[in-house]
Every structure is written in C-alpha cells, then in structure tokens.
Amino acid sequence: MSLEELTAFGWGPLLEQQLQMLAKPEVRPARVLDVHRSVVHVVAPGLDASLPTPLNLENGPITVGDWVLVDESGQRIEDLLQRSSLFRRKAPGTDRREQLIAANVDTLLIVSSCNQDFNEARLERYLAIGRDAGVMSLVVLTKADLCNDTADYIQRAARLASGLIVETVNALDRENLQCLDPWLTSGQTIALLGSSGVGKSTLTNTLLGIEGIATQEVRADDDRGRHTTTSRQMHRLPGGAWLMDTPGMRELQLTDVQSGLDDVFAEIAEFAKNCRFADCSHEGEPGCAVQAAVDRDEVDSARLSRWRKLVREEAHNRESLAERRARDKSTGKLYKTIISETQKKKGREV
Ligand SMILES: Nc1nc2c(ncn2[C@@H]2O[C@H](COP(=O)(O)OP(=O)(O)OP(=O)(O)O)[C@@H](O)[C@H]2O)c(=O)[nH]1
Ligand SMILES: [Mg+2]
Ligand SMILES: [Zn+2]
C-alpha cells in the first residue's frame, strides 16, 4: 500500500507519524465509513470490510471518519489513531454522555436553507463547534431556487463570524454546486451538519451523481418534516473527496467548545476583557464593558443574549460531563480493586 494511495483516503503526516511511532509493521491503516452497534465498516486501498466493533480501545469509541489499524488478517481492529479533528455533542436527554459525530474532518459544511428554517442561533452553534475543532467551516444555504431574496440570507449569515464564507445553492443541481468544488478535492474530508430537512442528503446525492440516499418530502405546511437520515455515513465522491452525511440534530448541546465560542463571538469576548469583574455576566453589573458596547450600538443585543445562553449551556455540559468522567474513572478503579482483592483471596485459598 503506497503512501499516495493512502493519501487519497485522507491519510496525512500526523497519521503517518503515529503509525511510525507505534512501530507495528504487521498492522495497516483503514478509514471508517460507518459505525453500527456491532460492526464497523472500513475501507483502505484493497480493503472494504465490515469488522467487529472492538471493545476497550484506548481512545475509543470509534466514529465516522476515524482511522483505525487493522491486523494482518484484515479481520480485526487493533487500534484507533489520534484524530486531527473531532466533532461531538452532549447526548440528548438527561444522560450525561457525549456523542461523537465525526472525526478527521477538513471542512465543515454548515447547511441551512433560504426559508424559515434559517436560524442565526443554530448557525452560531455549529460555527462554534467548527471553530473549536479548528476546521474550515462554511455556510451553505440551500433552496436558493425557491427564494426571491437570497442576498438577505447571505448578509445575515455572513455577520455571524468573521471571515465567514456563505454560499447559496440549489442542492438538486450539480452545476449549481460548483462553488463547493474547491473544498472537494481528492483526499479531502467534508462533513455536513444542519437541521433536518435542509437538504444534506440531497446535496450528498447530487454530489455523488446518484439518488442512492433517501431524502424526505417536505410537508407543505411548515417546510420541515421528519428526520430522514438516521445514521452518519461517509461516501466517496467522484472527484475523490470524502463526504459525511449526518442526521439532522434537533438538539445540538454544546460541550467543550469554549474557544470556539470566543472565536465566533469575538467582538463580545473582546469587550468582556474590559469588564470590571472577571466573572461579569454582562447583565447590569457596574463597569460592564459589554453592556456599554451594546449601548453604543457596537454589539448587537440579540447576539449578546444568544451568546450568554450558549456560554451557560456549554459550561453546564462541560461540568456535568467532567463529573461523569471522574465518576466512571473511580468506578473503574473500584472494580480493579475488587478484582485484585478477589484474586488475592483465591491465591490464598489455593
Ligand atoms: N428546490 C429545492 N429543494 C431542495 C433543496 N435542497 C433540498 N431540497 C428538498 O428538501 C427536502 C429535504 O431534503 P433532505 O436532503 O432529505 O434533507 P436532510 O438535511 O438530509 O434531512 P435529514 O436527513 O432529516 O436530516 C427534499 O425533498 C429535497 O428534495 C434545494 O436546494 N432546492
Ligand atoms: Mg438526510
Ligand atoms: Zn460585563
């Protein structure tokens, strides 16, 4: 397997370095296309297999886009390589777990549409995740063919983060998607994130040049609908890029994206440094530089309240996940102690 062949699958220097350091000549790298409960679908030059989901991987669980090491026989996943980027969220509901969304992504396409689904707060969420992961993020607004005033949507989206690229497209028309081609070169990995019904699978199908993935019929009344895609899956596009389609996420709870939030809300974060109190909540404290900026019309007050909400949510989730991790760790220790005590006892009995 040549380096060049692997590069076409998204392999790069960071991964090569890890492989060299592991110094296990018998294993070979493979990329994860999708993950089921009991099997992981992997591909590599000359390999396309569904392998048993390994338990107890050091940095597991595995997610779409991951690079794993497969044993000589091509039957078993032995290791998971460190990711260059990782998207995750707090799992929905009250469960204190995090859910991995995608790994080793180069470009994030944040998909929304030019209709009532367009929502600044939701876009800011996705942007925070993208900026935090350090990947290139662009906003793609679909259904431009059904909209009279795309310029207004472009303007509203472009304001949400500095240097943000916003494209409007008709996801049903390949020619109309040419604006995405610079991001879709061979070996590049692109993930689509966005609410249900915005056209992620439609984009995927059009880029694939087939109609392989189910898309939904939009209900006429509210332009929304049910979730059509239910699992995450990575596809290889004709040009050699790797595209991940994901299910629309109704609840995208942020966790561990502090720097992403500071980056998206850079203007607010900057003013906040000058507040009199380090823990200022910018809700009327004396000497609040953020409130002063709002009064001068230098900060949008709607954006300030969206920021506050996200910062609170992020901090809450981060703390509760950290607590859970600590608890899991101590439970693990407890089990280990019990096991070793039992073994000692057994040893004495023999
Ligand atoms: N006219 C037009 N229709 C579109 C466009 N993009 C998507 N659609 C339609 O919108 C509907 C929903 O698209 P999907 O691709 O299923 O949406 P999704 O984002 O994959 O949704 P989930 O899988 O539920 O997350 C389908 O009926 C598409 O044909 C577009 O740019 N123009
Ligand atoms: Mg879909
Ligand atoms: Zn303040």
Side-chain angles (χ1 to χ4, degrees):
M1 191 175 355
S2 74
L3 207 57
E4 202 184 344
E5 279 179 301
L6 267 181
T7 308
F9 283 75
W11 189 253
L14 276 172
L15 294 154
E16 182 62 28
Q17 214 170 24
Q18 293 180 58
L19 188 63
Q20 299 295 339
M21 273 165 52
L22 280 168
K24 286 191 194 166
E26 68 289 354
V27 296
R28 57 168 166 168
R31 191 99 198 256
V32 174
L33 286 190
D34 55 275
V35 180
H36 301 276
R37 200 183 297 268
S38 56
V39 289
V40 179
H41 184 187
V42 300
V43 288
L47 177 76
D48 185 336
S50 288
L51 306 180
T53 306
L55 303 166
N56 305 325
L57 278 183
E58 186 124 1
N59 28 350
I62 295 175
T63 191
V64 184
D66 264 328
W67 277 98
V68 293
L69 297 177
V70 176
D71 74 342
E72 257 174 312
S73 65
Q75 306 279 322
R76 215 165 60 87
I77 294 173
E78 299 219 323
D79 254 315
L80 171 63
L81 295 180
Q82 298 269 349
R83 297 120 173 173
S84 59
S85 63
L86 177 66
F87 294 119
R88 58 187 166 184
R89 63 164 174 169
K90 185 190 154 287
T94 50
D95 200 12
R96 290 189 199 170
R97 277 178 198 282
E98 64 179 7
Q99 199 173 60
L100 304 185
I101 302 171
N104 300 313
V105 173
D106 298 304
T107 309
L108 181 65
L109 297 190
I110 300 172
V111 189
S112 186
S113 50
C114 303
N115 59 21
Q116 60 265 44
D117 177 79
F118 182 91
N119 177 315
E120 272 108 344
R122 205 171 301 140
L123 289 174
E124 284 163 342
R125 253 167 215 272
Y126 290 116
L127 283 167
I129 289 185
R131 295 268 167 128
D132 199 83
V135 307
M136 174 71 201
S137 311
L138 54 147
V139 170
V140 179
L141 303 176
T142 58
K143 310 191 188 185
D145 53 311
L146 305 175
C147 172
N148 300 322
D149 188 12
T150 54
D152 177 51
Y153 287 103
I154 296 178
Q155 209 181 31
R156 281 164 65 195
R159 276 202 302 254
L160 300 178
S162 63
L164 185 61
I165 298 177
V166 182
E167 302 284 0
T168 52
V169 300
N170 170 0
L172 294 159
D173 176 14
R174 180 63 183 90
E175 263 188 35
N176 213 267
L177 297 178
Q178 273 175 10
C179 55
L180 303 180
D181 288 346
W183 317 102
L184 304 177
T185 53
S186 175
Q188 286 290 302
T189 304
I190 301 95
L192 301 173
L193 284 185
S195 316
S196 194
V198 294
K200 298 177 297 298
S201 299
T202 306
L203 265 168
T204 307
N205 279 334
T206 305
L207 291 170
L208 279 170
I210 54 157
E211 301 207 336
I213 302 157
T215 57
Q216 75 185 9
E217 292 304 318
V218 169
R219 286 179 298 187
D221 54 340
D222 66 357
D223 252 295
R224 292 201 179 188
R226 306 132 286 234
H227 291 258
T228 304
T229 305
T230 50
S231 70
R232 295 178 288 274
Q233 215 181 350
M234 191 164 80
H235 307 271
R236 186 178 212 164
L237 298 182
W242 299 84
L243 184 71
M244 297 172 184
D245 188 12
T246 63
M249 280 171 268
R250 187 160 298 148
E251 196 187 343
L252 187 95
Q253 287 271 316
L254 297 183
T255 178
D256 285 314
V257 293
Q258 274 170 302
S259 75
L261 283 173
D262 282 352
D263 195 325
V264 175
F265 294 91
E267 82 284 18
I268 300 180
E270 197 52 45
F271 284 118
K273 286 183 193 158
N274 298 323
C275 293
R276 186 177 305 159
F277 304 111
D279 61 349
C280 183
S281 63
H282 325 301
E283 282 170 302
E285 286 99 328
C288 175
V290 174
Q291 278 297 346
V294 172
D295 295 341
R296 294 193 306 270
D297 271 337
E298 286 172 36
V299 163
D300 175 17
S301 65
R303 197 162 140 91
L304 174 60
S305 48
R306 296 198 300 265
W307 179 65
R308 267 199 213 112
K309 184 166 176 280
L310 291 178
V311 167
R312 267 195 222 116
E313 170 189 310
E314 196 274 346
H316 173 79
N317 289 335
R318 181 159 31 83
E319 281 155 22
S320 79
L321 286 169
E323 242 172 60
R324 180 178 173 115
R325 276 187 216 117
R327 204 181 58 211
D328 285 354
K329 219 172 160 182
S330 59
T331 321
K333 270 189 202 145
L334 179 65
Y335 285 148
K336 270 187 203 151
T337 321
I338 295 172
I339 290 168
S340 72
E341 289 297 318
T342 319
Q343 280 166 346
K344 267 188 224 157
K345 264 188 212 153
K346 271 191 190 156
R348 280 201 296 271
E349 279 162 18
V350 193

